[in-house]
Amino acid sequence: MVTRFLTEVPVDIDRDTARLRAAEELSGEGYQAARPSWLTEAFNWVVEKLLGFLEKVNSAVPGGIFAVLLLVLVLIVLVVVIRLKSGPLATSAKSGRAVFAGQRKASGEHRKAAEEAASRGDFDDAVRERFRAVVRSLEERALLDEKSGRTADEAAIEAGRLLPDVAASLRAGARLFDDVHYGGIPATEAGYRSLSELDESCRRARPVALAAG
């Protein structure tokens, strides 16, 4: 009885001893195995912060989180459009539709190549070479600078400012060139003849700056 009584009497230990024993208990294999990994703790922390942020946004912004997601989506679309219009993507797309793919020839050489292609019924090549003859002739007259990578539309717009009498025909010729050369639309004899007429009209036209003087 005495022994049993002594073992049941609670042992009063001081605070430092209790802290030490608690630390020893927590450092045991059982507690360490049950403790979540640092990766789990980090994930839980991120989720907790994210949920808190979304809750604040949902209560502060009209329309809640869906309005924020819609706004982010619109901003992404705007960035993509701007990049396509003015960034490297636009430069790449533009250079891929240039009038001159390689070294420039004299306008007479392009003109001769066009006539030879037309004589054998190859109006696709005839259209390409005749429009190049038009652009090259404008460069030779210093109405266009020799800018690499210029598209047919750019050539038509720039030259049309100085030659307003043929501006509409230049734009039509640029569309025909793009349709045949890049769009894969078969050229016709009538289309080629229209470019031949454009070539002659541009050679006769006087720039507005010179006519005014």
Side-chain angles (χ1 to χ4, degrees):
M1 288 292 295
V2 175
T3 304
R4 180 180 177 183
F5 175 77
L6 291 175
T7 58
E8 291 179 353
V9 174
V11 178
D12 187 14
I13 60 178
D14 57 61
R15 181 177 303 175
D16 293 337
T17 303
R19 186 183 300 109
L20 178 60
R21 291 185 179 179
E24 291 174 351
E25 182 70 17
L26 292 174
S27 64
E29 293 183 0
Y31 282 102
Q32 291 300 316
R35 181 181 179 181
S37 65
W38 67 268
L39 185 60
T40 302
E41 292 180 346
F43 176 78
N44 292 336
W45 181 85
V46 171
V47 170
E48 181 182 352
K49 295 298 182 182
L50 179 60
L51 291 177
F53 171 75
L54 293 178
E55 184 177 352
K56 291 180 180 178
V57 170
N58 195 47
S59 59
V61 178
I65 189 60
F66 294 105
V68 175
L69 293 177
L70 180 60
L71 178 61
V72 171
L73 180 61
V74 170
L75 290 175
I76 292 174
V77 171
L78 287 176
V79 169
V80 172
V81 170
I82 292 172
R83 294 277 291 178
L84 288 174
K85 291 292 184 181
S86 60
L89 294 177
T91 303
S92 176
K94 189 180 295 183
S95 62
R97 299 178 68 88
V99 176
F100 298 102
Q103 186 177 5
R104 285 172 168 79
K105 303 175 184 178
S107 61
E109 294 183 63
H110 287 294
R111 198 171 289 114
K112 181 180 178 181
E115 291 171 352
E116 291 176 349
S119 66
R120 64 176 182 267
D122 185 358
F123 292 109
D124 286 0
D125 201 28
V127 163
R128 283 189 285 265
E129 291 300 319
R130 197 73 187 207
F131 187 79
R132 285 168 178 160
V134 171
V135 176
R136 192 70 184 99
S137 178
L138 294 170
E139 290 178 345
E140 290 168 351
R141 294 172 61 190
L143 298 177
L144 288 176
D145 62 329
E146 296 186 10
K147 181 172 65 176
S148 61
R150 177 188 280 115
T151 66
D153 284 337
E154 288 173 338
I157 293 172
E158 291 173 24
R161 296 191 184 103
L162 295 177
L163 303 173
D165 291 342
V166 294
S169 298
L170 279 167
R171 290 194 296 271
R175 286 194 297 271
L176 177 59
F177 175 84
D178 282 340
D179 288 344
V180 172
H181 191 48
Y182 294 109
I185 299 176
T188 63
E189 183 177 359
Y192 171 69
R193 296 304 171 195
S194 69
L195 282 182
S196 298
E197 293 173 3
L198 172 63
D199 189 14
E200 294 300 321
S201 297
C202 287
R203 294 166 74 181
R204 293 192 304 267
R206 296 183 62 192
V208 290
L210 295 180

